[in-house]
Amino acid sequence: MNPFQPIGRVFLKFLLTVGRIVTFTSLGLMHAFRPPYYPRMIVRQMIDIGYYSLPVVGLTAVFAGMVLALQSYTGFSRFSAEGAIANVVVLSITRELGPVLAGLMVAGRIGASLAAEIGTMRVTEQIDALTTLSTNPMKYLVAPRLIAGITMFPLLVLVADTIGVFGGYLVAVHKLGFNASNYLQNTWNFLTAEDVNSGLVKAAVFGFIVALMGCYHGYNSKGGAQGVGRATTNAVVSASILILCSDYILTEMFFTK
Amino acid sequence: MADQPKIQMRDVAKAFGPKVVLDGIDLDVGVGESVVIIGGSGTGKSVTLKSILGLLTPDRGSIKVDGEEVIGMGSSDRERVNHKFGMLFQGGALFDSLPVWENVSFGLLAEKRCSRSQAHDIAIEKLAMVGMDAPVADLMPSELSGGMQKRVGLARAIASNPEVIFFDEPTTGLDPIMADVINDLIVKVTREVGATALSITHDMASARKIANRIAMLYEGKIIWQGPVEDIDNSGNEYVDQFINGKAEGPIKMAMRA
Ligand SMILES: Nc1ncnc2c1ncn2[C@@H]1O[C@H](COP(=O)(O)OP(=O)(O)OP(=O)(O)O)[C@@H](O)[C@H]1O
Ligand SMILES: [Mg+2]
């Protein structure tokens, strides 16, 4: 009994999975950039991923902004720095909470539904049927979802940013008694384009991750309803973890120079 | 070369893990010929079709289509070869996100052989061939009964007038009259249009009607093949047991009492 054997086996399996994901990713991206395109599919996915996620993202953002204002008020008043609330809210939302919270919420919503849909297509042989009908499933199913993920997430986050700041404003002005125009001025004055842009870049990366994980796990699911269920869970969990990891890496790239 | 077979399989083998499903299949299907594969449940009939279509990669052996080796073919060549094929999947494998008419004309639209409105008309025409009315064209697959789904799958398989059509249990789940309509249809597309057909069936009445030649698959090998007229005098006790549907005989069902 060699104690390193199981460790080695797990490590090899991990490498194999990473290799598979890398192959899947490069194939997906290649098909996303090369014609023929499926504009119908792309638009449909954009509506699914973008438009129908608005309620979830909006609600998340408004409460995040509100609680942020409240928390920073109770914290900052200890050292009389209440004036900084507007800045704290807008910077946290645009740089961090907007993309990450929207990303995680949409990972649950979209990651799961992509994996379930593509997984069902796999186990009911619909993906095989595509191949026999002169259609490349990577191009027809995966590429449009990747494109929709990458383009729709930044838009969603832009909406989340706006609504989040508005949530903070509501609490600060109506509950904590701040002067409305002062608050807005403070919000605006310290905000730089880089704060917003970094958040949008993060959003594009998260959108890619969510679409990729949903497609990858769905595409490789096997074994009936149970397999599809497993694919759904794996898609959401892996997308969430990857979002948090890449968030740290991106933050380090943007803000430590 | 006049007598070059449309499809030529030599020593094709496929195992899933330790389980050997195909163990050296040799089968020729001539141009315009209709061959039926019979055999018990789980003997690898569907696997055989999927190997020819490139949906599964055999572990060894050679498969030639019009004299061209298809195993290990690149994806663009594979796509070109698959243009020649139409496939009816055992479970139908209809695209459940698309209406019936778009399912039927999917291959035509994918190859851009017609406009969407033409595709709708062609779909209605093909649906009529499988005994379905025009209003069905605008339903979703989930609104159809199992037998209706099967017939839509059949309409989809023949819609692009393929050179070779694979039918995986075309009459299973249909009432006897509709089964005969489908048999006539298969005879028609092969005899009149000149398509080559490779079918799987458990239904001996159907096999006798649509086949020029019958091949029996047992334990991973073709144990008998010959013209349909010889099926009753095959001199093979496995074939006799199968076509007469006897529990007693050399074929043992894996059962535990
Ligand atoms: N993708 C797969 N992974 C693992 N095993 C498989 C796979 N596809 C088929 N098999 C196995 O291969 C064997 C043959 O399957 P196949 O679907 O070809 O049977 P069949 O002859 O078509 O039977 P039936 O008449 O019931 O449709 C089965 O035992 C099945 O368990
Ligand atoms: Mg089968």
Side-chain angles (χ1 to χ4, degrees), chain A:
Chain A
M1 285 295 258
N2 184 342
F4 293 109
Q5 217 169 352
I7 300 176
R9 202 173 296 138
V10 168
F11 185 65
L12 281 183
K13 207 172 158 202
F14 172 75
L15 287 185
L16 198 71
T17 310
V18 171
R20 281 215 193 101
I21 293 179
V22 170
T23 320
F24 188 86
T25 310
S26 35
L27 260 179
L29 283 178
M30 187 190 87
H31 285 297
F33 287 111
R34 262 199 225 157
Y37 305 107
Y38 291 98
R40 271 168 185 285
M41 297 299 285
I42 297 175
V43 170
R44 187 191 271 194
Q45 290 306 320
M46 283 180 160
I47 292 172
D48 253 18
I49 294 179
Y51 184 69
Y52 288 115
S53 295
L54 279 175
V56 175
V57 167
L59 279 174
T60 314
V62 76
F63 284 111
M66 284 164 68
V67 83
L68 207 57
L70 204 55
Q71 282 281 20
S72 29
Y73 179 77
T74 51
F76 284 16
S77 58
R78 290 181 201 161
F79 37 93
S80 340
E82 297 95 329
I85 291 183
N87 315 325
V88 170
V89 169
V90 73
L91 289 190
S92 329
I93 294 271
T94 52
R95 284 180 170 203
E96 196 56 47
L97 290 180
V100 171
L101 283 182
L104 290 177
M105 293 306 289
V106 181
R109 208 188 89 81
I110 295 300
S113 80
L114 289 186
E117 186 184 0
I118 297 184
T120 306
M121 293 188 74
R122 165 62 74 198
V123 300
T124 56
E125 299 182 323
Q126 291 178 50
I127 293 184
D128 288 344
L130 279 176
T131 312
T132 66
L133 293 165
S134 332
T135 303
N136 186 322
M138 288 299 284
K139 196 168 229 59
Y140 183 79
L141 294 175
V142 177
R145 285 162 170 83
L146 292 181
I147 294 173
I150 295 173
T151 52
M152 287 293 108
F153 263 56
L155 294 181
L156 279 173
V157 165
L158 216 48
V159 173
D161 287 353
T162 315
I163 295 180
V165 168
F166 175 70
Y169 167 89
L170 278 186
V171 169
V173 172
H174 292 287
K175 187 167 165 57
L176 306 175
F178 279 71
N179 176 294
S181 69
N182 269 354
Y183 184 90
L184 285 181
Q185 194 137 36
N186 274 342
T187 300
W188 200 242
N189 278 350
F190 285 87
L191 188 67
T192 64
E194 202 197 352
D195 295 322
V196 179
N197 289 346
S198 71
L200 297 185
V201 171
K202 282 181 177 180
V205 172
F206 298 166
F208 177 67
I209 289 174
V210 169
L212 182 72
M213 285 297 113
C215 292
Y216 172 79
H217 288 286
Y219 204 83
N220 291 297
S221 64
K222 43 175 149 309
Q226 202 184 10
V228 176
R230 206 177 311 121
T232 310
T233 314
N234 288 343
V236 176
V237 171
S238 59
S240 306
I241 292 174
L242 284 176
I243 284 179
L244 295 173
C245 293
S246 59
D247 181 46
Y248 179 80
I249 296 168
L250 288 170
T251 307
E252 196 167 294
M253 275 166 47
F254 275 116
F255 297 113
T256 52
K257 295 205 177 98

Side-chain angles (χ1 to χ4, degrees), chain B residues 9-39:
Chain B
M9 302 179 79
R10 285 292 174 270
D11 193 33
V12 174
K14 176 76 185 171
F16 294 101
K19 183 175 172 153
V20 178
V21 177
L22 301 183
D23 188 18
I25 297 267
D26 296 316
L27 185 68
D28 285 356
V29 183
V31 179
E33 196 182 20
S34 174
V35 173
V36 166
I37 302 178
I38 57 174

Side-chain angles (χ1 to χ4, degrees), chain B residues 41-42 44-47 50 90 168-169 200 202:
Chain B
S41 199
K45 303 184 297 297
S46 298
V47 169
K50 285 182 188 167
Q90 191 168 359
D168 198 341
E169 306 199 3
I200 292 173
H202 294 291

